Amino acid sequence: MLKDGEKGAILQNDKKTYAIAPHLPCGVVSPDTLRRIADVAEKYNCAALKVTSAARIAMVGLKEEDIDSAWNDLGIPPGAAVGVCVRSVKACPGTTFCRLGQQDSLNVGLELDRKYHGMKLPGKLKFGVSGCPNQCAETCIKDIALVGKKKGWTLLTGGSGAGKPRLADEIASDLETEQIMKMVETVIEVYNSQAKKHERMGKMMDRIGVDSFKQMVLSS
């Protein structure tokens, strides 16, 4: 049996088949990619295709002996669905498509995905990038969250939707895109240096103190 994450596969509850999830940065996907996913799903008799909360398409019900061939046919890298790393970047359409967008959340999200997706960290980490205060990317429960407003970006950290939900704390506001990207880098550096093994951002912040964490970030 494969371990969870090995070959990008996750064992299903029948203890026999696996699911794989091609990486679709910020949920943006082309018609060609959708056709390949559909063709591979039919070729290997997938039980289901499931759009995940991380905006991926999980291909469910693959046999272990078909996983290598399925990935080869797809020609798409796996998403980092398990492990202590940057799991996903969820981004709304922002000013690219949405009439309510106030900041370019989609392109900022794609840049964050390019830079951080799969990065090894003390614990799992999820990004959310919303182009307006409606927070369609569920930014209030993400480890690192960017919320677009008319005057710029607001940065929040420490959110989690786990067994004990935690709302993210505001770190800074009215930031230009270049400023917030640099501050995200600092947040990750502080998290890397301060967090214990398997400790989420919010738990680390509560342990060392939210004000202390904020000071570390803003003084860097």
Side-chain angles (χ1 to χ4, degrees):
M1 303 298 292
L2 300 176
K3 296 179 181 179
D4 272 353
E6 188 178 353
K7 296 185 178 182
I10 299 175
L11 185 66
Q12 300 301 284
N13 66 0
D14 61 6
K15 309 300 182 186
K16 296 179 181 178
T17 64
Y18 295 82
I20 63 173
H23 184 47
L24 307 175
C26 295
V28 178
V29 58
S30 68
D32 176 66
T33 298
L34 288 174
R35 288 190 190 96
R36 272 185 282 161
I37 290 173
D39 289 344
V40 171
E42 289 183 343
K43 180 177 179 179
Y44 296 101
N45 297 310
C46 286
L49 294 174
K50 172 69 175 70
V51 177
T52 73
S53 60
R56 301 188 183 106
I57 300 176
M59 306 176 68
V60 182
L62 283 165
K63 298 176 183 177
E64 182 177 346
E65 60 267 26
D66 290 334
I67 290 172
D68 288 335
S69 297
W71 279 122
N72 185 62
D73 290 347
L74 283 167
I76 309 170
V82 298
V84 286
C85 63
V86 176
R87 295 280 189 89
S88 62
V89 179
K90 190 170 186 176
C92 74
T95 52
T96 306
F97 299 112
C98 182
R99 63 184 176 83
L100 300 177
Q102 297 178 5
Q103 296 293 332
D104 188 2
S105 54
L106 188 53
N107 281 304
V108 167
L110 288 168
E111 176 62 19
L112 290 170
D113 183 278
R114 183 197 66 76
K115 189 172 182 179
Y116 296 113
H117 179 71
M119 175 185 282
K120 297 298 182 182
L121 292 170
K124 69 178 180 181
L125 188 146
K126 297 181 180 182
F127 275 97
V129 188
S130 293
C132 83
N134 285 343
Q135 298 196 33
C136 291
E138 299 173 341
T139 27
C140 61
I141 55 169
K142 294 294 189 283
D143 298 277
I144 299 179
L146 285 63
V147 179
K149 299 179 182 179
K150 288 182 179 180
K151 293 183 179 180
W153 293 99
T154 294
L155 174 66
L156 304 100
T157 65
S160 173
K164 293 183 179 180
R166 185 188 190 283
L167 293 178
D169 291 287
E170 183 175 320
I171 303 300
S173 61
D174 300 338
L175 300 171
E176 299 291 334
T177 298
E178 185 176 343
Q179 291 177 303
I180 202 163
M181 295 296 277
K182 179 61 179 175
M183 197 166 288
V184 165
E185 186 176 328
T186 302
V187 166
I188 290 177
E189 289 173 356
V190 173
Y191 176 57
N192 236 337
S193 67
Q194 298 294 320
K196 297 179 180 179
K197 189 175 181 179
H198 298 296
E199 187 176 43
R200 292 288 293 272
M201 179 82 70
K203 287 187 176 180
M204 180 209 68
M205 290 170 61
D206 290 337
R207 177 174 55 81
I208 68 175
V210 174
D211 289 340
S212 295
F213 172 78
K214 185 174 180 179
Q215 185 176 8
M216 289 180 194
V217 172
L218 297 179
S219 62
S220 297

